Amino acid sequence: MTEETLSPSDLCLFCFPDSQLRLTVKNDYSYTAVKPVWAAPMRYPGQYLALLDGKGNEICLLQDPNTLDGGSLAAVQRVLRKRTLTAVLTAINTVTVEYGATYWNVETDRGCRDFVTVNLQETAHWLSDHHLLLCDVDGNRFEIQDSAMLDSRSRALLAKAL
Amino acid sequence: MSIVTSAPVDVLITLVSDIGLQGEFAPRTLEVTNEFLRTMEQDGTESLRIEIADILNARNEPLIGGGQMEITCKDGVVVPVIAYSLTLAPAFSECARGIEQLAAGTPLSIKISTKSLRCNKCGRLLPDKDGICPVCVNRNRTFFRIAGYLRPYTKQALTLVALSLCTTAVNLVPPVLQGHLIDAVFTKHQHIGILFQTIGVWAVVIVITALLQIAAGRTTAYLAGSIAADLRAAVFQAIELLQVSYFDKKQVGSITSRVTQDTDRVWGFLVDGLPYLASNSLLFLGITGMLLVTNWRLALAVMAPVPLMLVLSAISWGSISRLYFKVGQKWARFHMHLNEALTGIRVVKIFAREDAEMQKFRSRNGDLRTAGIEADTRWFTVFGAMTLLVASGQLINWIVGGEMVYGHQITLGQFVRVNSYIAMVYGPLQWFGDLNQWFSRAMAGAERIFEVIDAETEPYAKNDLHPAIVGRVIFDGVRFGYDKSNPVINGLSFVAEPGEMIGLVGKSGAGKSTTINLLCRFYEPDAGTITIDDVDYCEYELQALRRQVGVVLQDPFLFNGTIAENIAYARPEAGFMEIVAAARQANAHHFILAKTDGYDTLVGEKGAQLSGGERQRISIARAILHNPRILILDEATSAVDVETERQIQEALANLVKGRTTFAIAHRLSTLRNADRLIVLEKGRIVEIGTHNELLEKQGVFYNLVKTQSQVTQIMEVGD
């Protein structure tokens, strides 16, 4: 069976042990270590999920992971959550632009965080009109999924920084 | 999860992560002892414990926006131990190496760096770990540092200040003459001769002013040209000495704008700003003195708006500075795109993407325009407010001074003198506003320049060993990663004897080019050593070492100049016959002579006037003339036709004689003549042997050859 012929309904994904994603292909074989990776997380967030085997070879590419059955989807999402340390920014408390460095204090879905960015024209990526990805000096990622949904103060601070 | 109640243990490594058990930002501690490793939660509970004896290996697993330490146990189970942000990934990666050492029963030998993440003074996060806090850096230091570029021209700068002072002094005379004319000639109707005498003095003053201005202008022109050149040279020299890793992170256009835009701003301030700062300050003091002498009450009245101007200037200083910094950043982005579009113009055209590139250019240009307009708008708003204050000073003079004239407290001549001085006193004050803008722009530019100048350079001056190299190269347990938490070379060990040809083989990403980069010392190993003739290569003076290393690349870079200049690039003092001899050995002589201008043929930018094979043979001639003891051939024959390849192979055969050679080639058959092949996989050596030995072994190399021959057959059928 090739990756082209695999359909989401053929796939059964589950975690065992807790941290390890496994895959059984219907009426065929199993993979004991599966790594889910987004193929184009910036251009197509939430779409094109690749499943890789233990050696990093592609098992299949799912255009819409939501077509997986409920249990499989939950298992994949759980592992993806663990593999993704990008913080989703919910509010900006302060932004200070000083001498080429921008100091941020923000609220995220993972808690409050301080970080510093430099050279924002290269490290702030607009993925769409309102979707922004900020990379700090170490490469840590902070995502604003919809800048229009931020409170007015946060929006003003963001505009000031960018 | 259990509460720790065990007796104190001898902890060898303690690291605190910044990602909690549920992925939240929270501290979590990893402790490693000789017997076990464990993770501790904030409340002191132990959440995980693994016995060292059960560990097969430990590694940093890259996650999106961070990393995770994973332990593979001897029973094959992979256990995620602790997650961390990229800030801490290098330390945890090093820790994983330590855990592997303990698991293997070898002594712990790791170096976990503890760099400062925050400024000790203000507590802000540092843009560079262990680096300088840009907020706490002494602004005056930046100012005096850029003023230091005037030092070689102290005489000219002082001359300029002296000329400006003289001009200032001379400029104070006309209002006095005006007042004198009005009082003595027009009001009191004294002798008409006084009119002509005074005008005569005035004419002399005008001539002297003109002469002073010419002299000042000429001095300025000299200073401007010299300092601009010095600044550009300083930045370029700094760029030349930077570590290769700096260029991995920055784009060329962004660096170029620092050599052009930012240096322009700085020299503009140095040449136009600083001398005039001195002269205008004195002019302001001189005029203030003259006003006070004329009538102190009127002087105080007309200068009432001065403090307001100073306050306005101080308030607007910071924001204007930030806006001009942003303009600098937009310029860098603009340059970046321009560079890319011009360098890749052929690709743009062949894919008919001119419109898309134009669109991108418009966007960058628009950003630059917006930033420029924003900064200039702010500045001109402040400037307008300044002008208003200047005008109010004159109005005050008419109100207060006019009343004084009317009440005979001052003469009409004194009133006119004060009126003239007001224009002159507010001129320097307005100019101080200009200075604010000038200074802000210059400081922003200076900071961007010093960011380059202060970046870590290659270790040129680290050691001073200049021995003649024989060419015995030893890699001993070398580990290296561009991202320190993800080594791409892991425990590489081999010996290359003098004159031996080593072929480096492996799939893309196996670590071949990184091995070469390490050999050239573009990067230094994170762990392990590379020795040349049994001396750690870090002990050699860097340029002395590189003079002994020659490289022939897949796509050789030629400089805009003649063929002869390019061949003699590494040895400019080489005689013409030496150049010809090198070209002959490189099979290049024949095609060079076929060109109209022979060795004087201009190769164009990046050698664009030559074919790929011609460029390659010139680069081989360059390497032959360079005469290195260690030679690197990086896919030297991959981009040419069969006949050209034969000629290049012949040239290479001449080149490698008697030199320790490292060759990378995807076409494995071209490495048949190598003395030994080193097969790399994921940064480790998986096989070493001769071509035939490895084929007989039917291992990784055999499979690579087999795959390649199958691909070639398929391509031939396809043809």
Side-chain angles (χ1 to χ4, degrees), chain B residues 644-664:
Chain B
T644 311
E645 185 184 348
R646 187 191 60 76
Q647 292 179 353
I648 292 174
Q649 287 289 7
E650 274 179 22
L652 289 174
N654 290 330
L655 178 60
V656 301
K657 274 177 207 158
R659 306 178 209 276
T660 309
T661 304
F662 294 85
I664 297 177

Side-chain angles (χ1 to χ4, degrees), chain A residues 81-103:
Chain A
R81 165 82 185 161
K82 284 187 175 174
R83 295 193 59 79
T84 308
L85 296 180
T86 304
V88 177
L89 213 143
T90 52
I92 302 172
N93 297 328
T94 59
V95 172
T96 320
V97 185
E98 283 171 319
Y99 310 108
T102 309
Y103 300 87

Side-chain angles (χ1 to χ4, degrees), chain B residues 13 30 32 37 50-52 54-62 68-74 77-82 84 91-104 108 110 479 485-487 490 684:
Chain B
I13 306 168
L30 173 73
V32 182
L37 66 85
I50 301 173
E51 299 301 319
I52 295 291
D54 293 339
I55 294 173
L56 183 67
N57 63 52
R59 69 188 199 99
N60 166 64
E61 166 72 4
Q68 175 174 270
M69 183 186 284
E70 284 186 359
I71 299 284
T72 307
C73 296
K74 285 180 177 163
V77 174
V78 178
V79 184
V81 176
I82 192 166
Y84 33 80
F92 278 93
S93 180
E94 187 69 0
C95 175
R97 208 165 69 86
I99 293 168
E100 284 194 333
Q101 289 168 355
L102 293 173
L108 188 64
I110 56 168
R479 188 170 64 96
S485 58
N486 288 305
N490 221 332
R684 295 176 193 270

Side-chain angles (χ1 to χ4, degrees), chain A residues 19 35 82-83 85-87 97-100 103 108 110 113-115 119 121-122 137-140 160, chain B residues 18 23 25 61-64 80 84-87 118 124-125 129 134-135 139 322 325 329 336 447:
Chain A
S19 58
K35 188 198 276 190
K82 284 187 175 174
R83 295 193 59 79
L85 296 180
T86 304
V97 185
E98 283 171 319
Y99 310 108
Y103 300 87
T108 76
R110 296 173 188 272
R113 187 76 162 174
D114 283 327
F115 65 96
N119 214 4
Q121 83 267 19
E122 286 175 28
V137 286
D138 294 312
N140 298 308
K160 176 188 160 194
Chain B
D18 49 2
F25 292 130
E61 166 72 4
L63 304 181
I64 301 166
Y84 33 80
S85 71
L86 286 171
T87 311
R118 287 182 182 274
R124 284 179 176 83
L125 285 165
K129 293 183 201 78
V135 179
R139 296 286 111 196
R322 272 195 295 278
F325 193 93
Q329 287 184 323
M336 225 145 62
E447 278 161 20

Side-chain angles (χ1 to χ4, degrees), chain B residues 4 41 100 244 277 310 365 374 393 402 480 526 536 627 662:
Chain B
V4 181
E41 301 307 314
E100 284 194 333
V244 175
L277 170 67
L310 295 175
N365 203 19
E374 198 181 352
F480 173 77
D526 296 333
D536 185 339
N627 193 22
F662 294 85

Side-chain angles (χ1 to χ4, degrees), chain B residues 563 586-595 598 610-611 613-615 617-618 647:
Chain B
I563 288 177
N587 276 349
H589 185 62
H590 181 71
F591 85 74
I592 294 171
L593 290 185
K595 295 192 180 293
L610 305 177
S611 72
E614 288 172 343
R615 279 202 298 273
R617 277 173 281 171
I618 286 178
Q647 292 179 353

